């Protein structure tokens, strides 16, 4: 099945890429979640607008990505959330929460889809989070979760 990606899918491609996937993967996962749309001649014309939107959102080049990585690495990010007596959170910290906290700490605006959390953050303490700024550059930031 031939599809056009509308969102970045790890291991598959970036928005605007035309990819060939198994029918079930496309029909049951990518299309219902809005990550892709069927490839047609009409949809082929939309690829250019998808790519322009991606370029506007994406960090321009490798030098800029390294500069932003330096800014992010120097940040102290603190998140205050509700937690029980044992330090266990009510819910968990999402990538959107982390993106907002980075911005509030004086860092650059980061797209929440570029933030990678290895294990769900469900406890108070310090947690390491990776932010993919560019295909070749990623920055790590320590997020300190505090009960509030």
């Amino acid at each position: 099945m031939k599809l056009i990606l509308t969102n970045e899918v790890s291991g598959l491609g970036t928005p605007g890429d035309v990819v060939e996937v198994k029918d079930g993967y496309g029909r049951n996962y990518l299309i219902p979640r809005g990550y892709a749309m069927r490839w047609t001649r009409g949809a082929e014309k939309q690829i250019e607008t998808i790519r322009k939107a991606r370029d506007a959102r994406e960090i321009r080049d490798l030098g800029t990505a390294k500069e932003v990585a330096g800014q992010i690495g120097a940040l102290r990010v603190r998140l205050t959330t509700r937690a029980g007596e044992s330090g266990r959170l009510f819910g968990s910290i999402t990538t959107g929460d982390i993106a907002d906290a980075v911005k509030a700490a004086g860092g650059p605006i980061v797209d929440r889809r570029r933030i990678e959390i290895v294990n769900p953050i469900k406890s108070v303490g310090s947690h390491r989070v990776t932010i993919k700024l560019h295909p070749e550059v990623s920055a790590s930031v320590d997020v300190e979760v505090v009960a509030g």
Side-chain angles (χ1 to χ4, degrees), residues 50-65:
I50 292 170
R51 285 192 178 139
K52 284 180 185 174
R54 177 186 69 192
D55 290 342
R57 215 175 37 238
E58 198 172 273
I59 294 176
R60 295 285 178 237
D61 59 355
L62 188 62
T64 311

Side-chain angles (χ1 to χ4, degrees), residues 72-126:
I72 290 174
L75 288 178
R76 285 192 42 153
V77 179
R78 284 182 66 126
L79 272 167
T80 305
T81 187
R82 292 180 50 208
E85 291 179 19
S86 64
R88 191 157 166 79
L89 302 182
F90 297 126
S92 64
I93 302 296
T94 64
T95 56
D97 296 334
I98 295 170
D100 293 340
V102 167
K103 184 179 171 188
I109 297 171
V110 178
D111 186 7
R112 66 175 177 78
R113 293 174 291 221
R114 298 200 174 272
I115 297 174
E116 295 177 350
I117 302 173
V118 178
N119 296 321
I121 300 175
K122 295 186 176 192
S123 63
V124 172
S126 184

